[in-house]
Amino acid sequence: MIKVITYGTYDLLHHGHRRLLERARALGDYLIVGVTADGFDRARGKLNVQQSLLERIAAVRATGLADEIIVEEYEGQKIDDIRRYGVQIFTVGSDWMGKFDYLREYCEVIYLPRTEGISSSALRTERRMVRLGLVGEGRVLSKYKRECAFVNGLQAAGICTPGGQAELSGEEDILVTDRYEELLEQVDAVYIVSHPSRHFQQVEAALRRGRHVLCESPVVLREAEYRALSRLAEERGLVLMDAIKTAYATAYYRLLLLLKSGCIGEIVSVDVTCTSLKVTPDHRPRGEVWNSICAWGPVAMLPVFQLLSTDYLDCSMTSCLIDEAARFDIYTKIDFLYPHATASVKVGKGIKSEGELIISGTKGYIYVPAPWWKTDYFEIRYENPAENRRCFYPLEGEGIRYELVSFVRSIERGASDSYIDQAVTAGITRVVEAFYSGEKLRRICLKSVPCRQEA
Ligand code: C2G
């Protein structure tokens, strides 16, 4: 019996795939098809896959051409499989010509002519393209515009920025305006990174015009406003998604899964620090510049709320404000008390500290080095260092492209594909609201920088 093996993603299975499988089968008596796991596809840069692994396996099985179906999960697995299954022939389409010659040491390698004129990515893009408007200012806007290019079915269609900074459009001929209404006319969805004080009005306007929204966190400054906007989005069948790109970084996402599997036992403490010494531009009114609680608070609270929930018993905040009226903090420390755990969050745009994430448990702890919020690496550490594990997951584009893929998927499926639960977003707005209300806000003042009092 001649055994043949071939591998693929087989997303949105089409006749090009079917022809490949038919010819692969004709090479021998028994065909094994390796379907790639979601994580393996992401790791090798295929991030737009539409169907789940089970859906793709079912589609291959339905062709009736595979005698056996396995899952391809890691780099180098092909060699293991060829040996384990006693395979005589490896085959794949000619778009991979030469890439698998190293397998000749283990079996015959045959490249079959690729079927021209069809591909999964073309099928994905044929669906209606989502035209995205970018709203706000700063480098993040340019990053998001660049990352759109990696996402099938998404196109940066316009920019709304104060003063209509034309240079943001780069070489593309896209609308650049400082009039939000004009932008809304031209797009299906918006990404908002304007100052949080503008979010409510901009998000509401977009939803009322039937536009989907991806908004930097805090989405709004009051929890009740967030609940109202969520209801509005739901009533209109629209997506309102929180844009904390860290949630989409592969290493961070895998870290959460490992923790939830109990790898360090019961979590007792989550300690998070995010700082960046960014001198606030004095020419800008403080109310126009992101303060520390808004710039860093959401991402710092993300692991706390995703691991310990938003049902804390108490939350106490201490801030170093340099402008009371604008509630401009250069440093804020937040302590959360839970029935079975504690968490501490330190954020600051006017101080420098070690931007690490440490999650402590009853069997060990996880250490994520600075800058943890865009990490591709973390360690699981135990009492016996010999048991320590180092985990590395490549991160492209700080997680933005994966976030945009989730946003487009949510729009297409009419159901949230967001990695951030609404409860987490609501929890973040609740803390931000408490900060601005100032009720339980304890204050410290720098000796060198007196705090400007109420206007
Ligand atoms: N294919 C083809 N003609 C097309 C599209 C795809 O012959 N128009 C072939 C590919 O060459 C591949 C198989 O169909 O052999 C599955 O293609 P994909 O699902 O795109 O997966 P791909 O990542 O190309 O698979 O490690 C090997 C890779 O996983 C190969």
Side-chain angles (χ1 to χ4, degrees):
M1 175 202 288
I2 295 185
K3 282 192 169 184
V4 181
I5 197 165
T6 188
Y7 295 81
T9 304
Y10 291 99
D11 190 35
L12 307 176
L13 193 134
H14 52 68
H15 80 265
H17 293 141
R18 199 169 289 106
R19 282 197 66 238
L20 187 287
L21 294 173
E22 286 162 353
R23 286 173 292 157
R25 184 171 179 70
L27 293 174
D29 312 301
Y30 186 90
L31 176 62
I32 301 170
V33 180
V35 180
T36 49
D38 297 335
F40 183 54
D41 273 328
R42 270 178 69 135
R44 65 188 185 127
K46 280 190 93 164
L47 52 94
N48 287 290
V49 177
Q50 286 299 298
Q51 294 179 299
S52 69
L53 171 61
L54 290 181
E55 289 169 324
R56 293 181 281 119
I57 287 173
V60 170
R61 179 173 294 116
T63 65
L65 293 164
D67 294 291
E68 187 171 355
I69 296 175
I70 60 174
V71 178
E72 184 179 28
E73 300 188 84
Y74 57 90
E75 202 66 49
Q77 182 181 323
K78 293 180 176 70
I79 297 173
D80 283 347
D81 293 341
I82 288 166
R83 288 170 157 161
R84 180 181 309 137
Y85 295 100
V87 166
Q88 284 80 33
I89 298 173
F90 165 87
T91 187
V92 74
S94 55
D95 45 319
W96 293 89
M97 184 64 75
K99 292 284 190 326
F100 297 106
D101 290 355
Y102 69 90
L103 295 174
R104 293 193 195 287
E105 187 182 336
Y106 308 97
C107 67
E108 191 181 351
V109 175
I110 297 173
Y111 297 99
L112 296 168
R114 176 186 173 84
T115 304
E116 293 315 322
I118 188 161
S119 70
S120 305
S121 48
L123 291 173
R124 291 180 205 119
T125 306
E126 267 168 25
R127 307 171 332 278
R128 221 168 64 76
M129 182 71 83
V130 173
R131 297 169 301 158
L132 183 67
L134 302 162
V135 183
E137 53 193 323
R139 281 180 319 115
V140 179
L141 218 56
S142 312
K143 280 184 188 175
Y144 270 75
K145 181 166 148 303
R146 191 173 55 244
E147 291 294 299
C148 285
F150 293 94
V151 182
N152 288 166
L154 182 67
Q155 163 197 20
I159 297 172
C160 176
T161 181
Q165 299 150 20
E167 67 279 6
L168 279 172
S169 68
E171 62 292 342
E172 285 130 86
D173 174 22
I174 61 173
L175 168 72
V176 179
T177 177
D178 56 3
R179 293 189 304 111
Y180 187 52
E181 287 301 324
E182 183 182 4
L183 179 81
L184 288 179
E185 278 299 316
Q186 306 291 328
V187 300
D188 307 304
V190 287
Y191 163 68
I192 297 174
V193 66
S194 50
H195 189 268
S197 58
R198 292 209 180 87
H199 286 183
F200 181 78
Q201 173 255 333
Q202 289 177 336
V203 172
E204 187 186 38
L207 294 175
R208 290 199 182 287
R209 297 290 290 275
R211 303 324 187 230
H212 303 281
V213 177
L214 174 65
C215 184
E216 279 298 329
S217 200
V219 170
V220 283
L221 301 179
R222 289 174 197 80
E223 185 180 5
E225 287 179 349
Y226 174 64
R227 304 261 183 229
L229 292 175
S230 298
R231 272 195 307 278
L232 180 59
E234 198 162 337
E235 284 159 12
R236 294 170 178 240
L238 294 169
V239 174
L240 170 56
M241 203 167 124
D242 198 340
I244 306 178
K245 52 184 172 296
T246 297
Y248 298 86
T250 310
Y252 175 82
Y253 183 64
R254 289 297 176 86
L255 174 155
L256 287 188
L257 296 178
L258 282 167
L259 283 162
K260 292 183 177 181
S261 71
C263 70
I264 60 168
E266 187 177 341
I267 297 173
V268 179
S269 173
V270 178
D271 299 289
V272 199
T273 302
C274 299
T275 68
S276 59
L277 254 187
K278 281 200 175 75
V279 180
T280 52
D282 282 340
H283 64 281
R284 298 270 301 278
R286 291 261 191 260
E288 284 298 301
V289 179
W290 289 63
N291 56 10
S292 301
I293 189 75
C294 286
W296 285 118
V299 67
M301 286 185 264
L302 185 71
V304 174
F305 290 163
Q306 287 187 317
L307 290 168
L308 300 177
S309 90
T310 55
D311 300 326
Y312 45 82
L313 301 174
D314 186 44
C315 161
S316 66
M317 275 187 271
T318 303
S319 282
C320 179
L321 298 170
I322 57 171
D323 186 327
E324 183 69 36
R327 280 285 192 284
F328 198 94
D329 61 326
I330 54 171
Y331 171 67
T332 290
K333 184 172 185 297
I334 309 174
D335 291 299
F336 294 99
L337 175 67
Y338 290 83
H340 311 293
T342 65
S344 80
V345 162
K346 289 190 280 187
V347 295
K349 285 181 67 177
I351 67 155
K352 197 65 199 149
S353 183
E354 190 63 21
E356 59 193 13
L357 167 59
I358 297 177
I359 300 141
S360 313
T362 52
K363 290 182 189 163
Y365 69 96
I366 282 194
Y367 173 71
V368 190
W372 72 268
W373 52 88
K374 51 184 178 182
T375 189
D376 54 9
Y377 170 79
F378 59 88
E379 295 181 20
I380 309 175
R381 296 178 177 172
Y382 296 100
E383 191 60 34
N384 172 5
E387 294 173 18
N388 288 0
R389 285 172 55 188
R390 292 175 174 76
C391 306
F392 171 73
Y393 297 96
L395 176 63
E396 304 291 339
E398 298 179 39
I400 293 172
R401 62 189 72 170
Y402 304 119
E403 176 186 271
L404 290 172
V405 166
S406 274
F407 184 49
V408 172
R409 273 196 195 134
S410 302
I411 292 170
E412 280 173 356
R413 296 179 179 172
S416 174
D417 185 65
S418 172
Y419 287 20
I420 303 169
D421 292 343
Q422 286 194 342
V424 170
T425 302
I428 290 169
T429 55
R430 187 181 316 137
V431 172
V432 171
E433 180 174 3
F435 169 84
Y436 277 100
S437 76
E439 280 154 35
K440 294 173 62 182
L441 183 62
R442 296 177 304 188
R443 289 158 174 79
I444 58 172
C445 278
L446 294 185
K447 296 185 195 110
S448 53
V449 181
C451 172
R452 221 164 75 194
Q453 296 310 316
E454 294 290 346

